[in-house]
Amino acid sequence: MNALFPDGFRWGSATAAYQIEGAAAEDGRTPSIWDTFSRTPGRVRNGDTGDIATDHYHRVREDIALMKELGLTDYRFSLSWSRVLPGGRRPASQKGLDFYRGLVDELLDAGIRPVATLYHWDLPQEYEEEGGWPERATAERFAEYAAVAAGALGDRVATWTTLNEPWCAAFLGYGAGVHAPGRTDDRAALRAAHHLNLAHGLAVQALRAALPAPAELSLTLNLHALRPYADTPEDRDAVRRIDAVGNRIFLDPVFHGRLPEDLVADTAGITDWSFVHDGDLEAVSTPIDVLGVNYYCPAVVAAGTSETPSPWPGAAGHVRFPYVPGPRTAMDWPVDADGLYELLVRLRDELPHVPLLITENGAAYDDYADPEGGVHDPERIAYLHAHLAAAHRALGAGVDLRGYFLWSLLDNFEWAYGYGKRFGIVHVDFPTGRRTPKDSARWYADVIARGGLPPR
Ligand code: IFM
């Protein structure tokens, strides 16, 4: 059976600045927290850094030509804050802005809609030295940066995302310490989460004020599709705790202007939340036009305890994540497309008036180029097929889903895993930068051309 998607469905691919650009010290760019973190011995596997990455900064034309060949309607990329505002200070770098103007112009010439994300985890290092996301000032600076970006690109970019996956920025960065800046402080992580929410709301206001025409504004969350290990009150309560600090900590302030009461109670031993000032939640809940959802796999949760430091303040002492057998990707993440369907249907029920985009979905496998130069990745094709089928099912169930962005266009710097995990549908030979479309790239081009899934 052919599963056709509606006319106008957006077929995209996604990347992020630090993961692909390289040119870390070029044209005035200064270090972000990820430059510092990756240069710190022991933080990233194999000592990998984003110094060169896929060298997209110099190969941007070639990469857009690849996107055009795929038939993408949309391309989601992020801006490097410290390329736009070196040292985190004005004046903005003309060369930095020119790079993004050039990228956007090439995309538009190729008939591809640019979707710009302002923050994909690369905070200017100077701000971290002044306290980073646990400090309110960082949220205020983010709104200033949003206005600069809107002034420079607003005549050509109509879709903007403030933050990518603030859960990771707050809880992997300041709680578990496995992402930059590598801190392990539960209180700082909760403060960071609030200030990321505030940054989002203030940036939405700044964008609306600075953009020359009405634009589509969004936020991208990596929402957790949660299931209790057993259908017991204990395991259901473990799910509730993870839902509070993993999902509702963002959904409730952004869409309802409130903090989840159970989260405040669960974290009472860590903070009294007095860093939330009067008026903050009104700012956080400034209306947006669409919600971006990143989905890779579900999480099965049981009552128990987790290792600390953990990314789950207030919950780690009460939950564990049992290993569930089944197919897994090279990240050791379960392959389970039903989780995507469950998540989309939940959002349909809880946020019925909010259109959705799947802003990331994809899989890492241990790909290699064979002697004839081909890269055969049938497991990735199977993964993508199953997840697009789940998205199609969700459309049939009344979910207002507007598009799908595959993660990722290119193999790239996979954060603390370095270059060892390949998510691309285009293979990158890192020593030479050579790009080779994998079988999955051809498969995705066919899906886009036919507007849906081929029979299986
Ligand atoms: O590579 C990341 C991306 O930067 C954010 N979402 C998850 C991807 C895979 O881990």
Side-chain angles (χ1 to χ4, degrees):
M1 186 200 65
N2 281 5
L4 291 180
F5 285 69
D7 285 347
F9 192 78
R10 295 160 76 165
W11 296 102
S13 178
T15 63
Y18 190 71
Q19 293 181 273
I20 64 164
E21 282 181 5
E26 235 169 283
D27 290 340
R29 181 187 179 279
T30 53
S32 73
I33 54 175
W34 267 99
D35 296 84
T36 307
F37 189 76
S38 63
R39 289 172 193 161
T40 306
R43 292 303 209 171
V44 174
R45 283 196 193 167
N46 201 32
D48 291 343
T49 71
D51 285 0
I52 300 172
T54 73
D55 201 24
H56 171 75
Y57 194 74
H58 300 113
R59 291 174 174 260
V60 59
R61 288 226 160 106
E62 178 186 351
D63 291 341
I64 293 173
L66 280 168
M67 297 178 210
K68 194 172 175 183
E69 264 177 56
L70 290 173
L72 298 187
T73 64
D74 289 55
Y75 172 56
R76 172 178 181 252
F77 63 97
S78 79
L79 276 65
S80 155
W81 192 341
S82 54
R83 197 182 289 293
V84 171
L85 291 174
R89 301 274 176 265
R90 287 181 201 227
S93 156
Q94 284 314 311
K95 286 190 173 163
L97 289 173
D98 283 348
F99 170 71
Y100 294 111
R101 282 194 203 103
L103 164 68
V104 165
D105 285 348
E106 289 272 338
L107 287 169
L108 293 172
D109 283 350
I112 301 170
R113 177 169 20 199
V115 175
T117 296
L118 288 168
Y119 188 70
H120 198 123
W121 307 350
D122 42 0
L123 185 72
Q125 179 61 32
E126 292 76 8
Y127 296 160
E128 176 57 22
E129 274 147 34
E130 291 164 24
W133 284 113
E135 295 307 316
R136 186 176 193 85
T138 307
E140 289 158 1
R141 286 170 169 156
F142 183 69
E144 291 162 19
Y145 155 59
V148 169
L153 298 171
D155 56 343
R156 309 150 210 227
V157 176
T159 304
W160 293 83
T161 302
T162 54
L163 307 174
N164 178 72
E165 300 184 352
W167 181 85
C168 297
F171 296 113
L172 299 180
Y174 292 89
V178 295
H179 276 193
R183 290 207 239 160
T184 51
D185 174 344
D186 282 351
R187 186 159 183 278
L190 291 167
R191 290 176 62 101
H194 173 63
H195 292 130
L196 281 153
N197 275 339
L198 183 61
H200 157 76
L202 295 177
V204 170
Q205 295 175 353
L207 289 169
R208 295 251 190 251
L211 288 169
E216 181 181 52
L217 304 189
S218 66
L219 165 71
T220 277
L221 300 175
N222 57 314
L223 294 170
H224 305 264
L226 304 171
R227 297 183 190 141
Y229 183 58
D231 193 15
T232 60
E234 293 78 13
D235 287 4
R236 284 199 299 273
D237 191 59
V239 166
R240 178 199 60 73
R241 283 177 186 271
I242 295 299
D243 190 47
V245 71
N247 295 330
R248 287 182 284 113
I249 190 170
F250 302 106
L251 292 173
D252 281 14
V254 169
F255 291 105
H256 306 297
R258 63 172 188 240
L259 286 172
E261 280 176 20
D262 58 336
L263 174 70
V264 174
D266 290 348
T267 55
I270 304 171
T271 177
D272 61 5
W273 292 80
S274 55
F275 48 83
V276 180
H277 294 184
D278 284 352
D280 281 5
L281 292 168
E282 286 73 29
V284 174
S285 56
T286 305
I288 55 175
D289 305 297
V290 60
L291 173 64
V293 179
N294 292 355
Y295 174 86
Y296 291 87
C297 60
V300 172
V301 190
T305 51
S306 301
E307 271 175 34
T308 52
S310 102
W312 308 109
H318 306 267
V319 304
R320 67 186 177 93
F321 297 90
Y323 189 91
V324 180
R328 303 222 158 205
T329 69
M331 297 294 283
D332 202 22
W333 295 348
V335 177
D336 187 331
D338 288 341
L340 175 59
Y341 176 82
E342 291 158 19
L343 190 55
L344 294 173
V345 166
R346 168 184 178 175
L347 292 168
R348 173 202 68 188
D349 293 344
E350 292 183 10
L351 301 170
H353 305 299
V354 181
L356 304 175
L357 285 172
I358 296 171
T359 38
E360 284 184 27
N361 175 245
Y365 287 104
D366 295 325
D367 308 313
Y368 58 91
D370 71 14
E372 284 76 47
V375 184
H376 307 301
D377 55 345
E379 292 163 303
R380 180 175 292 102
I381 292 173
Y383 178 99
L384 295 171
H385 193 117
H387 286 74
L388 275 167
H392 188 262
R393 222 164 14 108
L395 277 163
V399 172
D400 185 3
L401 178 65
R402 305 280 174 98
Y404 175 89
F405 291 72
L406 195 160
W407 185 271
S408 182
L409 179 71
L410 302 169
D411 291 337
N412 59 49
F413 176 80
E414 177 52 27
W415 308 111
Y417 295 90
Y419 295 100
K421 303 291 176 196
R422 294 180 175 272
F423 274 91
I425 53 172
V426 174
H427 181 272
V428 177
D429 177 54
F430 290 107
T432 61
R434 194 177 62 244
R435 274 81 165 131
T436 307
K438 304 178 189 176
D439 289 353
S440 57
R442 292 182 229 291
W443 178 87
Y444 192 43
D446 178 52
V447 168
I448 297 172
R450 58 170 83 223
L453 289 169
R456 244 181 115 69

